[in-house]
Amino acid sequence: MAKDDDWTKPRALAIPKEGYFTLEPGRYGPVFPRTPACYGFTIIAKTKPGTEEEIRSYGKKLEKAVEDDPHVLAPLQLHYLRWVLFDIGSDTYFMYQGIFDTDFDKYVEDAVALFNRTGINTIFEKLEGFPEDWRTNVPAFVQFMREHHHPSFLEYGEYPYVTAIEIKKALEVKKAFSDMIDKIQ
Amino acid sequence: MLELDDIQHFLFLRQPALAARYEFLTFQQPAAGRAWLAGMIDEVGTAASARAASSDDRWVSLAFTWSGLRALGVEEAALATFPEEFRQGMAARASILGATGTNHPDHWVGGLTTPALHGIAVLFARDVAERERARQAHARFLSQIGGVDVLSGLDLEAISQHEPREHFGYLDRRSEVVIKGTGEPPAHGWGPPVEAGEFFLGYPDESGARPALPQPEILSKNGSYLAYMMLQEHVGVFREFLRQHGRTREEQEMVAAKLMGRWRSGAPLVLSPHHDDPALGADLARANDFDYGTMDPHGYACPIGAHIRRMNPRDTAENLQRRRMIRRGGTYGPALPEDAPDDGVDRGVAAFLGCASLVRQFEFAMNVWVNDPSFQGLGNERDPIIGTQDGTFDMTIQGRAIRRKITGLPAFTTLRAGAYFFLPGIRALRWLASGNRTIT
């Protein structure tokens, strides 16, 4: 699958319930597949009561962090991140969906290192069951992520298997050509 | 404060050894294993003694597999506190390490994949004669005590008496790790000193924390994990590859340098991109004084996928200090003379990678740096020197303005054996030998 580089042909991929096709061990558990939409995960967890506003304010905090340093999240090799809050009955749930270019285990390790280095507290601290010692206990952080990850049953890529690096390179080439054409007018 | 009198010297300081013997052992009964250990402990040097000026001719290190700790009588409750990857052993982690095809444990030699592998005695010696004397002394000791068998052994010796070279001809040991708290001055270009807890258990690591120790503490404190790899080098294949991809000797040397990231003299391509510079290669301070992100961001000098750029990505990797390892080992097998046809003799390097976390350091390096085809935006490449190659991966040599892409890279190396060991501290060795589990 990793060698499928025909980005001109949109692809859809149905994924088994357990989230992987064959049990392939990774450093902390099964390796989830790279799909047409690249690597990614969907974390769904219940929030601690009364933390909704704090969680929402985290949005502003991260917005500012990226404004101050646009490359602050670069280590995670991201395409997109989405944070969602929603209610089920009287409980508030949190959904975090990330699409990126590294495998799951590496993403989590790099995320912990990033949070430690930048001092950005992960908003996961407001989720029930999240390990308090996450800063120094990567395996516990990984375990939480794995336990709260809900694998997709279907993923689609309009330009499948293309990495963020490739997309950015393509846009740089486009810009360079545009500049060149502008200059010879 | 590092307890230098309790840490085995093995990872602490490289000794001027030109030969070594690895003895892979199995204990028939716990008592036999303990008797062997009791007789060997005094031979093991400490970090403190290694540091002192010494006229020793040999240096002994002792390490154990997880089943070896059990074979020495460590209780199940204590065994369960060791990390899962160590409990499983390297063979069980083969798919994570990318050890597939001919590298798969099914093909490993020396009986290292079985639970019968309990321990290793590493006998480093100043020269081959001393190694042979040490091997015979060990054999006599084993015959005296009985109940401890040699599963297999491996003789190592330097192929050059004056400088550390491996069989492909590259000068080795160009970059080392400086451990914080040892008093060693930071070496130029070797990166910032690394917290001792990244290598020795019981000390703060780069996260600032002091990770929980396997229990009891007397067993684990001052210990380290070792990943052992016996890597066969296919010298004939390598030389033929160079001939196929370079018309002149100069072109062949350039291809060789691009695969490694350094000229065979050790001079790095980042600092000397167009020709070799042996004086630079010999100068360890200058030969490491470079980065990639600012000095060679596109890989025009040192290809993105070159061996040294994968194994030590310097400023182009995140969290680098938490991936550092200490390498020990040497070459086995006779050197293949220049221009001689491949004689089919097994030769290569047999090395130990020392660290505090096999997952975070060793397995990460093998999984993400060595064998990930999409490393740093590459599409279909693995480490050209030590990656698992089956003829389906490529090597891109970035260039201005046209890159060169070599497809179907052959395997220059094959993993012939491997194992995970625990290298205990001196107090732990005595505790293991005593059989008295009430010591705290």
Side-chain angles (χ1 to χ4, degrees):
Chain A
M1 225 171 299
K3 288 189 183 180
D4 193 331
D5 55 0
D6 183 5
W7 53 268
T8 64
K9 187 176 157 195
R11 291 277 297 273
L13 184 71
I15 299 168
K17 188 176 180 182
E18 53 272 23
Y20 48 84
F21 294 88
T22 53
L23 181 60
E24 185 186 333
R27 282 169 292 137
Y28 296 109
V31 174
F32 297 116
R34 184 183 184 214
T35 76
C38 300
Y39 287 108
F41 53 53
T42 304
I43 306 295
I44 299 176
K46 194 193 284 190
T47 64
K48 292 175 181 169
T51 57
E52 179 171 345
E53 284 315 306
E54 228 176 324
I55 293 173
R56 287 190 183 281
S57 70
Y58 174 77
K60 278 287 176 196
K61 189 176 171 185
L62 197 56
E63 179 188 41
K64 176 78 167 51
V66 175
E67 198 176 295
D68 291 346
D69 176 6
H71 301 293
V72 66
L73 298 178
L76 303 182
Q77 297 186 42
L78 294 162
H79 287 255
Y80 298 103
L81 295 177
R82 286 202 164 115
W83 288 261
V84 180
L85 284 173
F86 60 98
D87 294 334
I88 299 178
S90 59
D91 296 320
T92 300
Y93 279 78
F94 168 95
M95 186 181 88
Y96 174 60
Q97 202 165 50
I99 295 176
F100 42 86
D101 287 322
T102 70
D103 73 46
F104 188 99
D105 293 339
K106 181 176 184 303
Y107 179 92
V108 175
E109 287 183 3
D110 285 344
V112 173
L114 179 73
F115 292 140
N116 275 329
R117 195 179 70 241
T118 61
I120 304 171
N121 282 346
T122 172
I123 202 59
F124 283 24
E125 287 175 342
K126 308 303 172 195
L127 305 179
E128 288 193 352
F130 188 69
E132 289 180 6
D133 62 346
W134 65 272
R135 283 186 181 280
T136 56
N137 191 351
V138 172
F141 191 114
V142 173
Q143 189 181 351
F144 177 89
M145 298 285 269
R146 284 188 169 274
E147 286 173 353
H148 292 80
H149 168 53
H150 294 257
S152 310
F153 69 90
L154 176 64
E155 295 204 355
Y156 173 81
E158 179 68 21
Y159 38 89
Y161 301 109
V162 181
T163 65
I165 289 178
E166 289 174 291
I167 292 168
K168 288 206 261 189
K169 275 185 184 170
L171 293 174
E172 280 172 19
V173 170
K174 181 186 169 194
K175 182 176 181 306
F177 267 109
S178 297
D179 288 348
M180 183 184 76
I181 288 167
D182 288 346
K183 286 189 172 106
I184 61 174
Q185 294 297 314
Chain B
M1 194 68 178
L2 278 170
E3 296 178 310
L4 300 184
D5 56 351
D6 194 45
I7 294 172
Q8 289 199 44
H9 66 85
F10 192 43
L11 299 181
F12 191 79
L13 198 64
R14 191 188 292 280
Q15 299 298 330
L18 289 175
R21 168 81 178 172
Y22 300 163
E23 303 248 286
F24 299 97
L25 306 167
T26 190
F27 311 135
Q28 291 175 13
Q29 312 90 22
R34 290 197 290 264
W36 168 80
L37 182 51
M40 293 292 289
I41 289 176
D42 289 342
E43 304 290 322
V44 178
T46 66
S49 66
R51 205 175 189 188
S54 167
S55 57
D56 287 351
D57 287 331
R58 63 193 177 110
W59 304 271
V60 175
S61 294
L62 307 177
F64 304 92
T65 62
W66 187 63
S67 63
L69 294 176
R70 172 184 281 142
L72 287 171
V74 176
E75 295 84 349
E76 293 301 317
L79 291 169
T81 63
F82 279 85
E84 186 182 7
E85 64 278 8
F86 175 63
R87 301 198 309 261
Q88 290 182 352
M90 187 189 280
R93 310 283 286 182
S95 64
I96 297 168
L97 304 175
T100 56
T102 54
N103 297 274
H104 191 273
D106 285 351
H107 308 293
W108 289 3
V109 299
L112 270 56
T113 58
T114 73
L117 173 64
H118 292 155
I120 180 173
V122 180
L123 313 174
F124 277 117
R126 198 176 289 279
D127 53 37
V128 170
E130 176 58 24
R131 179 194 71 196
E132 188 55 19
R133 201 198 62 72
R135 187 189 67 75
Q136 289 178 9
H138 189 232
R140 278 196 303 275
F141 178 55
L142 290 180
S143 68
Q144 283 167 15
I145 57 170
V148 176
D149 299 324
V150 178
L151 274 178
S152 61
L154 186 67
D155 285 325
L156 296 95
E157 54 195 76
I159 55 176
S160 165
Q161 298 296 300
H162 310 294
E163 51 195 9
R165 283 192 189 272
E166 50 66 64
H167 288 285
F168 294 144
Y170 297 98
L171 206 57
D172 202 0
R173 306 176 194 165
R174 294 295 88 188
S175 183
E176 296 273 3
V177 170
V178 180
I179 306 166
K180 207 180 275 187
T182 59
E184 297 294 322
H188 208 51
W190 287 5
V194 184
E195 293 287 353
E198 295 293 329
F199 311 108
F200 306 114
L201 303 191
Y203 298 93
D205 61 24
E206 287 284 327
S207 75
R210 196 185 297 261
L213 290 168
Q215 294 299 309
E217 184 174 322
I218 192 172
L219 171 59
S220 55
K221 178 82 190 287
N222 291 321
S224 306
Y225 295 102
L226 302 175
Y228 170 68
M229 299 178 85
M230 178 187 177
L231 214 54
Q232 182 180 18
E233 296 182 278
H234 307 295
V235 178
V237 174
F238 182 75
R239 290 177 182 169
E240 178 57 28
F241 177 85
L242 297 184
R243 282 192 287 270
Q244 283 178 4
H245 292 87
R247 285 166 301 180
T248 63
R249 183 60 186 246
E250 288 69 30
E251 285 182 4
Q252 291 171 14
E253 286 305 297
M254 176 61 91
V255 172
K258 292 287 187 181
L259 295 173
M260 179 60 72
R262 290 183 188 269
W263 299 92
R264 292 202 237 206
S265 73
L269 281 170
V270 172
L271 297 180
S272 186
H274 303 300
H275 54 79
D276 196 2
D277 183 346
L280 170 63
D283 184 342
L284 283 183
R286 285 199 300 139
N288 281 294
D289 191 14
F290 64 92
D291 65 29
Y292 298 115
T294 55
M295 297 171 75
D296 187 27
H298 304 296
Y300 293 148
C302 176
I304 305 289
H307 173 67
I308 67 162
R309 196 158 179 162
R310 283 177 175 266
M311 287 307 289
N312 185 6
R314 297 175 183 245
D315 59 325
T316 56
E318 294 302 321
N319 218 5
L320 185 69
Q321 292 291 83
R322 304 222 68 195
R323 314 293 186 197
R324 305 297 297 272
M325 291 180 282
I326 298 173
R327 187 160 64 96
R328 292 288 180 266
T331 51
Y332 70 92
L336 184 67
E338 196 70 24
D339 300 326
D342 200 339
D343 54 8
V345 172
D346 189 1
R347 53 174 60 84
V349 295
F352 298 87
L353 288 309
C355 56
S357 167
L358 290 163
V359 164
R360 175 166 47 75
Q361 293 158 284
F362 175 70
E363 292 188 353
F364 179 92
M366 295 303 295
N367 187 279
V368 177
W369 288 347
V370 171
N371 282 318
D372 181 359
S374 58
F375 173 80
Q376 293 197 356
L378 298 172
N380 184 43
E381 302 188 22
R382 286 175 166 168
D383 187 306
I385 303 291
I386 68 166
T388 299
Q389 300 287 349
D390 58 6
T392 65
F393 294 94
D394 312 325
M395 171 76 192
T396 303
I397 299 173
Q398 288 83 19
R400 195 192 300 261
I402 304 295
R403 69 180 183 180
R404 178 177 180 188
K405 193 162 190 168
I406 298 173
T407 58
L409 211 66
F412 300 128
T413 58
T414 300
L415 184 63
R416 299 293 312 282
Y420 286 164
F421 292 99
F422 181 65
L423 180 78
I426 306 296
R427 275 197 301 271
L429 291 176
R430 296 197 187 288
W431 182 81
L432 285 166
S434 74
N436 180 358
R437 301 290 175 251
T438 60
I439 296 174
T440 57

